[in-house]
Amino acid sequence: MMNLGTILRPVAGAGLLAVSDQIVLGATHHESVLLDQAVSDALGSEGWAVRRQAAFDACFALIGAIAKRLGIEGDREILDLATELYATLGLGQIRFDITATGGEVVGSDLLFGGGYQERYGGKSKLRHQADAFAAGFAAAAASIAYPSDWGSFEADETRCVAKGDGVCLFSLSRRPLTFRPGDGLTRSDAEQLLGPDAPPESDSLPIGKVTRDIVASCVASERGIIRISDCRFALLPASYRSQLTFDTLHLLEKRAAGRSPAPRLGHLFIDLAREASRAGMFQLLGSLFECAPVRDAVGPPPEDPHERVEQLSSIAGAVGWGPVSVLEYTPDQRLVIGVSMTPEAVYYAARHGGTPQSRMPGLQGLAEAIFYLATSVQWGAETVSLDLYRRLALDGPDLQVEETRSILSGDRECEIVVSLR
């Protein structure tokens, strides 16, 4: 199995990460499961189609870009590439048993279904399918391997470990192609948004450079799993998360037109999307912050909360959120972070243009996670864990978050303010 550094490349000037020409973002099973649950809660039975379509679009662009760059054209070779890529990114294992007319894909230890079991310890079972991302990935790979003018493949999950089954099983069949798959989220999208007058990218702190080396050295197990401490880690196409969030939000806003209670559904969904990011980034940044390779390189967590918040922000940039900087910090009271480029903004600008509205719940959740980690964790006395996060979420400081500036509304950078309510 290759390490992530073999395929991972920085996007020059943007502070982002890419595989081939596709922008990617470090993720855990926590926010992956929570965001998918938020979409399912918001859209009901339509949620599966929205989640699967977002995965198909993102993965079609990613697999297609890699196959083109490597000159891979044969059907079996493309499926082998997709199988290895899925595991290398930390997403689990998939096995194709298909032909040009359809077939099955078997999945095990998948980030979403397996991650659901891991997060909830087998105490809860879903009533709906969990692995829309794997379904979209498998259908995209099959559609590239067996192209047809008539249509692409579509995958349905017939068994799911999150529902209590032993494995995840997907059935693939052809469907009429009524759309052109998108280009995902590319380096050129970021470069276009940067423009010639973009502010210079600030140098990362030593802890950020160490974190990038740690991520690059990650190698998935034979089961396609990457762990950082107790946290399951993976690289996901940034366009998947953004398309999933904004397609859901726009559907809710469209339904809300002319109806008074419905607008609150959009706001509620944004709150849930922000919470998903906060939960996942609390686990990921905290696990990296206290892991042995980081501490061997830069020493123990600093006692000064200002140093802690600077180091945590640098770690966030190293896993793909962009060049995050601390603009203002008053311990236990207020945190202001800025970023000149972040995947959500790149996606929204490329697909929907500018907007005066708040449109970055992921970045907002990241800022809240940094506030919690810098302010509310007793480093050395307690370890970052799901129990610790739940305790802080229930009994810790009540936070208020606001998106005060955005490159989507013409500002030079995005600015998020977190304060005590």
Side-chain angles (χ1 to χ4, degrees):
M1 196 75 68
M2 299 182 295
N3 64 36
L4 291 181
T6 306
I7 60 174
L8 198 58
R9 296 292 181 270
V11 181
L16 304 177
L17 301 176
V19 171
S20 189
D21 72 336
Q22 296 294 309
I23 296 173
V24 295
L25 185 63
T28 74
H29 64 290
H30 296 292
E31 76 265 23
S32 301
V33 167
L34 290 174
L35 182 57
D36 270 23
Q37 284 181 318
V39 173
S40 295
D41 291 343
L43 300 180
S45 59
E46 287 182 278
W48 170 259
V50 172
R51 291 156 55 210
R52 182 177 58 185
Q53 189 64 54
F56 181 94
D57 291 349
C59 298
F60 191 94
L62 177 62
I63 299 168
I66 297 174
K68 182 178 180 180
R69 182 171 60 84
L70 298 178
I72 298 175
E73 296 181 350
D75 48 20
R76 293 312 311 176
E77 288 79 5
I78 287 175
L79 295 181
D80 288 344
L81 167 67
T83 301
E84 184 176 5
L85 177 65
Y86 200 85
T88 299
L89 294 176
L91 298 167
Q93 283 184 319
I94 53 174
R95 187 179 75 249
F96 290 88
D97 183 15
I98 64 171
T99 65
T101 58
E104 291 183 335
V105 174
V106 179
S108 57
D109 298 306
L110 303 183
L111 179 69
F112 291 81
Y116 181 91
Q117 273 195 325
E118 202 168 302
R119 178 175 170 81
Y120 296 107
K123 299 176 182 178
S124 173
K125 293 181 181 179
L126 283 177
R127 294 184 179 181
H128 58 78
Q129 304 98 316
D131 294 292
F133 183 86
F137 185 98
S143 299
I144 295 170
Y146 300 104
S148 171
D149 293 335
W150 182 79
S152 62
F153 279 98
E154 186 173 82
D156 282 310
E157 189 174 22
T158 55
R159 297 182 190 172
C160 180
V161 296
K163 297 173 69 175
D165 297 318
V167 297
C168 297
L169 185 64
F170 304 89
S171 175
L172 270 67
S173 57
R174 291 277 186 189
R175 64 171 180 179
L177 186 61
T178 58
F179 67 97
R180 178 186 176 278
D183 297 323
L185 193 60
T186 66
R187 294 168 177 268
S188 61
D189 290 324
E191 292 164 358
Q192 184 175 353
L193 185 58
L194 272 171
D197 300 324
E201 187 177 333
S202 59
D203 292 335
S204 176
L205 296 177
I207 196 170
K209 297 173 183 176
V210 172
T211 302
R212 281 198 295 270
D213 291 341
I214 291 172
V215 171
S217 67
C218 285
V219 180
S221 69
E222 292 183 357
R223 297 161 55 197
I225 295 176
I226 298 172
R227 291 198 183 279
I228 296 175
S229 298
D230 292 332
C231 189
R232 182 165 175 175
F233 176 76
L235 290 178
L236 284 171
S239 61
Y240 169 72
R241 180 192 183 116
S242 293
Q243 181 173 333
L244 185 61
T245 299
F246 296 127
D247 281 4
T248 301
L249 178 61
H250 291 159
L251 276 172
L252 293 173
E253 289 177 340
K254 185 177 180 180
R255 294 174 182 175
R259 292 186 292 172
S260 55
R264 293 196 293 271
L265 294 178
H267 294 148
L268 177 59
F269 172 73
I270 287 295
D271 287 344
L272 293 175
R274 185 178 69 243
E275 161 63 16
S277 177
R278 184 177 74 179
M281 288 305 102
F282 180 90
Q283 301 295 328
L284 179 57
L285 301 189
S287 296
L288 286 166
F289 188 63
E290 65 181 356
C291 73
V294 166
R295 291 302 132 208
D296 290 343
V298 301
E303 295 184 7
D304 183 355
H306 292 88
E307 290 184 41
R308 288 201 298 269
V309 79
E310 292 280 1
Q311 290 189 353
L312 288 160
S313 298
S314 188
I315 292 174
V319 297
W321 283 95
V324 181
S325 60
V326 179
L327 304 180
E328 179 188 338
Y329 180 53
T330 304
D332 298 319
Q333 294 183 40
R334 177 180 169 90
L335 168 66
V336 184
I337 66 166
V339 58
S340 58
M341 187 64 50
T342 194
E344 283 173 310
V346 178
Y347 179 89
Y348 201 91
R351 301 295 173 268
H352 305 291
T355 176
Q357 297 176 293
S358 174
R359 281 294 186 263
M360 280 174 280
L363 189 62
Q364 293 173 23
L366 172 73
E368 289 184 305
I370 292 173
F371 186 97
Y372 270 148
L373 289 165
T375 302
S376 302
V377 177
Q378 300 177 39
W379 298 100
E382 54 189 357
T383 301
V384 168
S385 65
L386 185 56
D387 286 341
L388 174 60
Y389 175 76
R390 286 171 172 160
R391 198 159 65 245
L392 288 174
L394 288 173
D395 303 322
D398 187 14
L399 303 183
Q400 177 174 302
V401 61
E402 186 181 2
E403 189 176 309
T404 51
R405 288 195 292 170
S406 172
I407 53 180
L408 296 178
S409 56
D411 298 313
R412 289 176 62 85
E413 66 178 354
C414 303
E415 182 181 272
I416 306 295
V417 177
V418 181
S419 56
L420 291 183
R421 194 176 291 276

